[in-house]
Protein backbone atom coordinates (compact mmCIF):
# COMPACT_ATOMS: atom_id res chain seq x y z
CA UNK A 1 0.00 0.00 0.00
CA UNK A 2 0.95 3.66 -0.11
CA UNK A 3 2.50 3.72 3.38
CA UNK A 4 4.80 0.79 2.61
CA UNK A 5 5.90 2.36 -0.68
CA UNK A 6 6.49 5.67 1.14
CA UNK A 7 8.75 3.87 3.63
CA UNK A 8 10.83 2.47 0.77
CA UNK A 9 11.21 5.94 -0.72
CA UNK A 10 12.26 7.20 2.73
CA UNK A 11 14.77 4.39 2.94
CA UNK A 12 16.15 5.35 -0.48
CA UNK A 13 16.55 8.93 0.75
CA UNK A 14 18.31 7.65 3.87
CA UNK A 15 20.76 5.64 1.75
CA UNK A 16 21.29 8.63 -0.55
CA UNK A 17 22.19 10.78 2.43
CA UNK A 18 24.32 8.11 4.06
CA UNK A 19 26.25 7.32 0.88
CA UNK A 20 26.89 11.02 0.30
CA UNK A 21 28.61 11.36 3.67
CA UNK A 22 30.17 7.96 4.33
CA UNK A 23 32.48 5.55 2.61
CA UNK A 24 30.23 3.31 0.48
CA UNK A 25 29.81 -0.30 1.51
CA UNK A 26 28.34 -3.12 -0.53
CA UNK A 27 25.59 -3.61 2.06
CA UNK A 28 24.42 -0.03 1.55
CA UNK A 29 24.12 -0.54 -2.19
CA UNK A 30 22.33 -3.85 -1.61
CA UNK A 31 19.84 -2.21 0.77
CA UNK A 32 19.10 0.62 -1.62
CA UNK A 33 18.87 -1.81 -4.56
CA UNK A 34 16.21 -3.79 -2.67
CA UNK A 35 14.26 -0.58 -2.07
CA UNK A 36 14.55 0.31 -5.75
CA UNK A 37 13.28 -3.17 -6.67
CA UNK A 38 10.28 -2.72 -4.42
CA UNK A 39 9.33 0.61 -5.99
CA UNK A 40 10.01 -0.89 -9.45
CA UNK A 41 12.91 1.34 -10.36
CA UNK A 42 14.74 -1.55 -11.98
CA UNK A 43 17.44 0.54 -13.64
CA UNK A 44 18.63 2.04 -10.35
CA UNK A 45 18.35 -1.36 -8.64
CA UNK A 46 20.60 -2.85 -11.33
CA UNK A 47 23.09 0.00 -10.95
CA UNK A 48 23.32 -0.44 -7.18
CA UNK A 49 23.58 -4.23 -7.44
CA UNK A 50 26.42 -3.77 -9.95
CA UNK A 51 28.18 -1.45 -7.48
CA UNK A 52 27.85 -4.08 -4.76
CA UNK A 53 29.18 -6.75 -7.13
CA UNK A 54 32.21 -4.61 -7.92
CA UNK A 55 32.93 -4.42 -4.19
CA UNK A 56 32.12 -8.05 -3.31
CA UNK A 57 32.28 -10.17 -6.47
CA UNK A 58 32.25 -13.41 -4.48
CA UNK A 59 28.85 -12.77 -2.86
CA UNK A 60 25.71 -14.31 -4.42
CA UNK A 61 23.09 -11.83 -3.14
CA UNK A 62 23.99 -8.85 -5.34
CA UNK A 63 23.90 -11.08 -8.43
CA UNK A 64 20.46 -12.35 -7.40
CA UNK A 65 19.23 -8.77 -6.96
CA UNK A 66 20.72 -7.66 -10.27
CA UNK A 67 19.11 -10.61 -12.05
CA UNK A 68 15.73 -9.59 -10.65
CA UNK A 69 16.29 -5.97 -11.67
CA UNK A 70 17.28 -7.01 -15.17
CA UNK A 71 14.25 -9.26 -15.40
CA UNK A 72 12.08 -6.36 -14.23
CA UNK A 73 13.45 -4.27 -17.06
CA UNK A 74 12.86 -7.16 -19.47
CA UNK A 75 9.21 -7.35 -18.37
CA UNK A 76 8.82 -3.58 -18.74
CA UNK A 77 10.28 -3.75 -22.24
CA UNK A 78 7.97 -6.63 -23.11
CA UNK A 79 4.78 -5.11 -21.74
CA UNK A 80 5.48 -1.52 -22.79
CA UNK A 81 7.05 -1.18 -26.26
CA UNK A 82 7.62 2.55 -25.68
CA UNK A 83 9.89 1.66 -22.73
CA UNK A 84 12.73 1.05 -25.16
CA UNK A 85 13.95 4.01 -27.19
CA UNK A 86 14.52 1.74 -30.18
CA UNK A 87 11.87 2.13 -32.88
CA UNK A 88 12.73 -0.96 -34.88
CA UNK A 89 10.85 -4.05 -33.63
CA UNK A 90 13.78 -6.39 -34.40
CA UNK A 91 16.18 -4.15 -32.51
CA UNK A 92 13.79 -4.05 -29.53
CA UNK A 93 13.47 -7.85 -29.62
CA UNK A 94 17.27 -8.23 -29.69
CA UNK A 95 17.63 -5.80 -26.80
CA UNK A 96 14.99 -7.65 -24.76
CA UNK A 97 16.78 -10.95 -25.42
CA UNK A 98 20.13 -9.46 -24.33
CA UNK A 99 18.59 -8.16 -21.09
CA UNK A 100 17.06 -11.59 -20.44
CA UNK A 101 20.34 -13.36 -21.24
CA UNK A 102 22.18 -11.02 -18.85
CA UNK A 103 19.67 -11.88 -16.11
CA UNK A 104 20.21 -15.61 -16.72
CA UNK A 105 23.98 -15.05 -16.60
CA UNK A 106 23.58 -13.41 -13.18
CA UNK A 107 21.58 -16.39 -11.95
CA UNK A 108 24.27 -18.72 -13.26
CA UNK A 109 26.75 -16.76 -11.15
CA UNK A 110 24.49 -17.11 -8.09
CA UNK A 111 24.32 -20.86 -8.72
CA UNK A 112 28.10 -21.01 -9.11
CA UNK A 113 28.64 -19.16 -5.82
CA UNK A 114 25.77 -20.75 -3.91
CA UNK A 115 24.53 -23.87 -5.72
CA UNK A 116 21.96 -24.72 -3.06
CA UNK A 117 19.99 -21.49 -3.57
CA UNK A 118 16.64 -22.90 -4.69
CA UNK A 119 15.22 -19.50 -5.60
CA UNK A 120 18.02 -18.97 -8.14
CA UNK A 121 17.11 -22.22 -9.88
CA UNK A 122 13.40 -21.32 -9.72
CA UNK A 123 13.96 -17.82 -11.13
CA UNK A 124 16.21 -19.20 -13.86
CA UNK A 125 13.41 -21.58 -14.83
CA UNK A 126 11.00 -18.66 -15.10
CA UNK A 127 13.42 -16.63 -17.19
CA UNK A 128 14.00 -19.62 -19.47
CA UNK A 129 10.26 -19.85 -20.07
CA UNK A 130 10.41 -16.30 -21.43
CA UNK A 131 13.36 -17.40 -23.57
CA UNK A 132 11.20 -20.31 -24.81
CA UNK A 133 13.75 -22.83 -23.56
CA UNK A 134 11.12 -25.07 -21.99
CA UNK A 135 13.14 -28.25 -21.38
CA UNK A 136 15.91 -26.26 -19.70
CA UNK A 137 13.24 -24.53 -17.59
CA UNK A 138 11.87 -27.91 -16.49
CA UNK A 139 15.39 -28.94 -15.45
CA UNK A 140 15.71 -25.76 -13.37
CA UNK A 141 12.37 -26.32 -11.64
CA UNK A 142 13.40 -29.91 -10.94
CA UNK A 143 16.61 -28.69 -9.29
CA UNK A 144 14.68 -26.10 -7.26
CA UNK A 145 12.34 -28.85 -6.03
CA UNK A 146 15.31 -31.08 -5.21
CA UNK A 147 16.73 -28.29 -3.03
CA UNK A 148 13.41 -27.16 -1.56
CA UNK A 149 10.89 -30.01 -1.80
CA UNK A 150 7.99 -27.83 -0.60
CA UNK A 151 8.37 -25.17 -3.32
CA UNK A 152 4.84 -25.32 -4.67
CA UNK A 153 5.49 -22.65 -7.28
CA UNK A 154 8.20 -24.80 -8.90
CA UNK A 155 5.84 -27.78 -9.02
CA UNK A 156 3.16 -25.59 -10.60
CA UNK A 157 5.43 -24.20 -13.30
CA UNK A 158 6.97 -27.57 -14.08
CA UNK A 159 3.50 -29.12 -14.19
CA UNK A 160 2.28 -26.47 -16.57
CA UNK A 161 5.26 -27.05 -18.87
CA UNK A 162 4.68 -30.80 -18.80
CA UNK A 163 1.05 -30.23 -19.81
CA UNK A 164 2.13 -27.89 -22.56
CA UNK A 165 4.48 -30.60 -23.89
CA UNK A 166 1.67 -33.18 -23.86
CA UNK A 167 2.88 -35.06 -20.78
CA UNK A 168 -0.47 -35.00 -18.99
CA UNK A 169 0.29 -37.54 -16.25
CA UNK A 170 3.48 -35.71 -15.21
CA UNK A 171 1.72 -32.37 -15.40
CA UNK A 172 -1.22 -33.45 -13.25
CA UNK A 173 1.12 -35.03 -10.69
CA UNK A 174 3.11 -31.81 -10.38
CA UNK A 175 -0.02 -29.64 -10.24
CA UNK A 176 -1.47 -31.86 -7.51
CA UNK A 177 1.74 -31.46 -5.52
CA UNK A 178 1.62 -27.68 -6.08
CA UNK A 179 -1.93 -27.65 -4.72
CA UNK A 180 -0.80 -29.58 -1.63
CA UNK A 181 1.74 -26.82 -1.02
CA UNK A 182 -0.87 -24.08 -1.19
CA UNK A 183 -0.88 -23.10 -4.86
CA UNK A 184 -4.68 -23.13 -5.21
CA UNK A 185 -4.78 -22.24 -8.95
CA UNK A 186 -3.18 -25.65 -9.58
CA UNK A 187 -6.48 -27.34 -8.73
CA UNK A 188 -8.34 -25.06 -11.13
CA UNK A 189 -5.94 -26.00 -13.92
CA UNK A 190 -6.39 -29.71 -13.18
CA UNK A 191 -10.18 -29.26 -13.33
CA UNK A 192 -9.92 -27.51 -16.70
CA UNK A 193 -7.95 -30.37 -18.25
CA UNK A 194 -10.03 -33.07 -16.52
CA UNK A 195 -13.63 -31.81 -16.86
Amino acid sequence: DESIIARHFQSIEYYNSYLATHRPRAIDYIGRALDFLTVRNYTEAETDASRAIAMTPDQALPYLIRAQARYGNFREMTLNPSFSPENDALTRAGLRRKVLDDAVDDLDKVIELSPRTAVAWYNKGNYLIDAEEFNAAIDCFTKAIELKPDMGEAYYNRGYLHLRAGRKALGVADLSKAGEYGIVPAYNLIKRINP
Side-chain angles (χ1 to χ4, degrees):
D1 68 8
E2 291 292 321
S3 65
I4 292 171
I5 296 298
R7 280 191 294 221
H8 285 285
F9 278 114
Q10 289 171 347
S11 181
I12 289 168
E13 287 305 314
Y14 165 78
Y15 282 116
N16 291 344
S17 173
Y18 184 87
L19 288 165
T21 58
H22 293 79
R23 184 171 169 240
R25 302 173 300 170
I27 192 69
D28 301 318
Y29 289 126
I30 289 170
R32 190 169 67 179
L34 289 170
D35 285 324
F36 280 131
L37 272 180
T38 303
V39 300
R40 296 184 179 173
N41 186 337
Y42 302 119
T43 301
E44 291 298 327
E46 180 180 348
T47 298
D48 275 354
S50 294
R51 288 174 175 149
I53 289 167
M55 298 173 93
T56 58
D58 59 340
Q59 297 296 311
L61 181 59
Y63 291 99
L64 188 62
I65 294 168
R66 188 169 72 179
Q68 191 62 33
R70 287 174 166 173
Y71 186 71
N73 274 331
F74 167 80
R75 297 295 297 159
E76 289 289 326
M77 294 164 83
T78 301
L79 299 173
N80 181 6
S82 65
F83 179 82
S84 172
E86 300 295 333
N87 291 324
D88 179 73
L90 289 175
T91 304
R92 277 197 313 272
L95 181 59
R96 281 194 310 271
R97 182 58 195 235
K98 173 156 181 13
V99 170
L100 185 60
D101 288 346
D102 288 347
V104 170
D105 288 346
D106 278 341
L107 290 175
D108 286 339
K109 187 66 175 178
V110 173
I111 291 166
E112 174 190 323
L113 293 169
S114 184
R116 299 197 51 79
T117 304
V119 72
W121 288 100
Y122 172 75
N123 285 353
K124 183 176 177 182
N126 288 328
Y127 299 2
L128 290 173
I129 289 173
D130 282 317
E132 298 184 9
E133 296 178 26
F134 304 120
N135 289 330
I138 287 172
D139 292 343
C140 289
F141 295 134
T142 299
K143 185 65 176 178
I145 291 165
E146 177 186 309
L147 295 170
K148 189 171 179 355
D150 63 345
M151 186 179 272
E153 298 87 350
Y155 281 106
Y156 182 89
N157 290 357
R158 187 175 73 177
Y160 173 79
L161 290 175
H162 280 310
L163 288 177
R164 185 177 175 165
R167 296 182 292 264
K168 185 176 177 183
L170 291 172
V172 169
D174 275 349
L175 291 171
S176 294
K177 200 71 165 166
E180 290 174 27
Y181 290 119
I183 310 301
V184 176
Y187 293 126
N188 295 332
L189 188 53
I190 292 171
K191 286 179 188 174
R192 284 202 333 245
I193 60 169
N194 290 324

